[in-house]
């Protein structure tokens, strides 16, 4: 799962926590119209990791969106979860960096654990 993340680790850096897109991405109109191929590719091509030094996120296969931010430059990780997200364990995270950087990511598995791991490493 962490092919991109592992290939971009720097010296003395290791993965502390990783997650992926939640299986809820398979329950959408887009999934039905593409015979579940689009969410399968999206899930396989997305990586969300926290290392001992950075937050590294990669989304997309052909058109790629990446976020690599040092932990010291991250002000907060905001979690948004609706009632269904709380029940089955998915939600959105927004990584807010110093200088106003605002990066949202949706349908993340275990977003509360992602934020908890970030807070533990930042302390």
């Amino acid at each position: 799962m962490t092919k991109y993340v592992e290939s971009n680790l720097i010296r003395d850096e290791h993965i502390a926590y990783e997650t992926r897109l939640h299986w809820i991405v398979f329950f959408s109109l887009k999934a039905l119209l593409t015979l579940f191929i689009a969410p399968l590719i999206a899930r396989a091509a997305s990586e969300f990791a926290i290392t001992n030094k950075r937050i590294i996120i990669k989304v997309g296969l052909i058109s790629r969106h990446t976020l690599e931010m040092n932990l010291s430059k991250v002000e907060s990780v905001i979690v948004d979860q609706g009632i269904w997200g709380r029940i089955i364990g998915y939600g959105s995270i927004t990584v807010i960096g110093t200088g106003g950087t605002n990066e949202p990511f949706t349908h993340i598995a275990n977003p509360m654990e992602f934020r908890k791991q970030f807070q533990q490493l930042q302390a």
Side-chain angles (χ1 to χ4, degrees), residues 57 65-67 69 73-80 92-105:
I57 299 174
H65 176 73
T66 62
L67 168 73
M69 192 176 298
K73 299 295 182 186
V74 177
E75 287 183 4
S76 65
V77 174
I78 297 173
V79 175
D80 290 318
S92 299
I93 60 169
T94 303
V95 179
I96 299 177
T98 56
T101 305
N102 187 354
E103 296 284 341
F105 298 95

Side-chain angles (χ1 to χ4, degrees), residues 102-120:
N102 187 354
E103 296 284 341
F105 298 95
T106 60
H107 300 110
I108 308 301
N110 303 314
M112 296 298 287
E113 183 65 23
F114 188 91
R115 181 175 66 184
K116 180 181 175 183
Q117 293 293 327
F118 161 72
Q119 289 171 338
Q120 287 178 349

Side-chain angles (χ1 to χ4, degrees), residues 30-93:
K30 183 178 183 180
L32 283 173
L33 294 175
T34 62
L35 301 173
F36 301 99
I37 294 172
L40 187 64
I41 291 171
R43 194 163 192 241
S46 299
E47 300 178 32
F48 303 88
I50 301 173
T51 71
N52 59 324
K53 297 182 180 191
R54 301 181 286 173
I55 290 180
I56 304 173
I57 299 174
K58 187 233 4 156
V59 178
L61 180 65
I62 296 172
S63 111
R64 182 179 286 181
H65 176 73
T66 62
L67 168 73
E68 297 182 24
M69 192 176 298
N70 291 335
L71 292 178
S72 62
K73 299 295 182 186
V74 177
E75 287 183 4
S76 65
V77 174
I78 297 173
V79 175
D80 290 318
Q81 279 186 305
I83 189 164
W84 288 109
R86 290 188 64 188
I87 291 169
I88 59 177
Y90 77 94
S92 299
I93 60 169

Side-chain angles (χ1 to χ4, degrees), residues 2-16 49-54 56 68:
T2 59
K3 190 174 185 181
Y4 175 82
V5 173
E6 287 177 352
S7 67
N8 285 293
L9 294 177
I10 57 178
R11 186 181 42 177
D12 297 327
E13 185 176 28
H14 64 274
I15 298 170
I50 301 173
T51 71
N52 59 324
K53 297 182 180 191
R54 301 181 286 173
I56 304 173
E68 297 182 24

